[in-house]
Amino acid sequence: MYGGMDVGGTKIESCLFDERFRPLERRRVDTACATYEELLDCIVGEARWLDARAGRAVGLGIGLPGLVDHATGRALTSNLPATGRPLREDLVVRLGRSVAMANDCKCFALSEANGGAGDGGETILGLILGTGVGGGVAHHGRLVLGHNDLPGELGHLGIPGRCVAAWGLPILPCGCGRVGCYETLVSGPGMARLAGRHGGTDRSPPEIARLARAGDEAMAATMRDWLGLLAELIHTAQCTIDMDCVVLGGGLSRIPEVAAMLASAYGALRMPGRPTRFASARFGDASGTRGAAMLLTRS
Ligand SMILES: [Zn+2]
């Protein structure tokens, strides 16, 4: 059995998996860890719960928001009080076993590449479209960690000048400290900003998509802008890693037909060659714990 844990800023989800990564028991607890010590205590408490359910100490994989130095296990995360701390090593000492750890978007990509929507592909881009935009890359079912855990972190690439010029897009400040990142216009809040430019203020992404399908011209224009920007983002990724499959996750991946719509938008600008497959996640939110557990064997 394997233990997978998805550690977020406000909750920790833990799941016990069998040897084929089928979920056996799952629970989610609210956390409000103000200090690093509290965070360690919370994670250790959940690891003990997994052990109790398994009847023995289980291997533990952890996904968390932010970057993890996979050589040292040190974390860089704005949502948890762990930046610069040797989180993985401290957990190894407290739990007395090996602990695998990675960015939560990487766990998503790993899970979807193995038994998920990207199964059977050679190079998979897992792209999470939610409050933020992140992702991960798997090659032959294994994570590509790179030099700094960065492969797939596409949200903070800059929107191309040709899009800004053609569509008169605003260049907005981003949470990363720079301006003009894709995340400012293709995340959930970004899509709402695009809708505002077409006269639809305070519209949620599901509402924008529903109105566009119902024939609302302003919201249809919003969807075209959003899909056009995403297609440019995919184009950059294609020219970098030349993936054969893109798996969409996060809240915006639940927009009906979004994978087919993006395939169509990307088809309009892609280079000649074999087509890229687009799919929405198979495991959805559960990919966080599933991919974390898979870190123990497939990274
Ligand atoms: Zn940014």
Side-chain angles (χ1 to χ4, degrees):
M1 284 183 274
Y2 301 104
M5 207 180 283
D6 187 5
V7 179
T10 58
K11 55 89 194 166
I12 296 180
E13 184 169 320
S14 304
C15 188
L16 185 68
F17 293 89
D18 70 8
E19 73 287 355
R20 293 174 63 188
F21 297 100
R22 290 174 300 205
L24 300 172
E25 299 222 34
R26 184 186 300 277
R27 83 167 179 180
R28 178 184 282 217
V29 295
D30 291 331
T31 56
C33 301
T35 67
Y36 181 62
E37 287 299 319
E38 284 177 16
L39 178 65
L40 286 175
D41 289 343
C42 281
I43 294 174
V44 168
E46 292 311 288
R48 300 283 184 229
W49 177 79
L50 287 167
D51 290 351
R53 304 318 296 171
R56 61 180 171 81
V58 290
L60 181 63
I62 298 175
L64 75 173
L67 302 175
V68 180
D69 184 326
H70 47 82
T72 67
R74 286 183 191 274
L76 174 64
T77 166
S78 56
N79 292 333
L80 298 171
T83 291
R85 301 297 196 117
L87 182 57
R88 190 180 65 206
E89 296 316 312
D90 284 344
L91 289 169
V92 167
V93 169
R94 287 205 183 195
L95 291 168
R97 76 192 79 158
S98 64
V99 175
M101 193 177 284
N103 171 271
D104 48 10
C105 298
K106 308 294 181 279
C107 296
F108 167 79
L110 185 60
S111 173
E112 291 296 333
N114 291 281
D119 196 72
E122 183 174 294
T123 304
I124 309 299
L125 171 65
L127 182 62
I128 295 192
L129 303 167
T131 312
V133 175
V137 176
H139 186 62
H140 291 298
R142 290 181 175 268
L143 271 184
V144 180
L145 291 172
H147 191 47
N148 288 301
D149 218 13
L150 286 172
E153 282 299 321
L154 301 171
H156 300 289
L157 296 179
I159 295 168
R162 60 186 172 211
C163 297
V164 174
W167 305 333
L169 296 175
I171 299 173
L172 302 171
C174 179
C176 73
R178 303 183 76 191
V179 299
C181 297
Y182 274 104
E183 186 167 290
T184 62
L185 292 177
V186 302
S187 62
M191 187 195 269
R193 285 183 199 112
L194 288 173
R197 288 170 36 77
H198 290 286
T201 49
D202 297 327
R203 296 248 163 89
S204 69
E207 196 181 0
I208 293 164
R210 183 176 55 75
L211 289 168
R213 276 197 310 282
D216 182 308
E217 281 186 23
M219 293 307 103
T222 300
M223 287 299 289
R224 276 197 299 277
D225 287 359
W226 183 71
L227 289 164
L229 280 172
L230 266 182
E232 282 284 353
L233 184 60
I234 296 295
H235 174 66
T236 300
Q238 199 78 50
C239 293
T240 313
I241 59 169
D242 204 11
M243 63 279 178
D244 50 272
C245 180
V246 178
V247 181
L248 303 175
L252 300 187
S253 72
R254 290 192 280 273
I255 290 173
E257 306 293 325
V258 68
M261 288 191 289
L262 182 54
S264 172
Y266 176 62
L269 54 79
R270 78 181 182 88
M271 304 243 193
R274 292 183 291 169
T276 303
R277 185 164 69 86
F278 289 79
S280 287
R282 176 171 176 199
F283 294 104
D285 294 341
S287 258
T289 52
R290 188 172 179 273
M294 284 184 169
L295 293 171
L296 295 158
T297 62
R298 317 226 172 144
S299 59

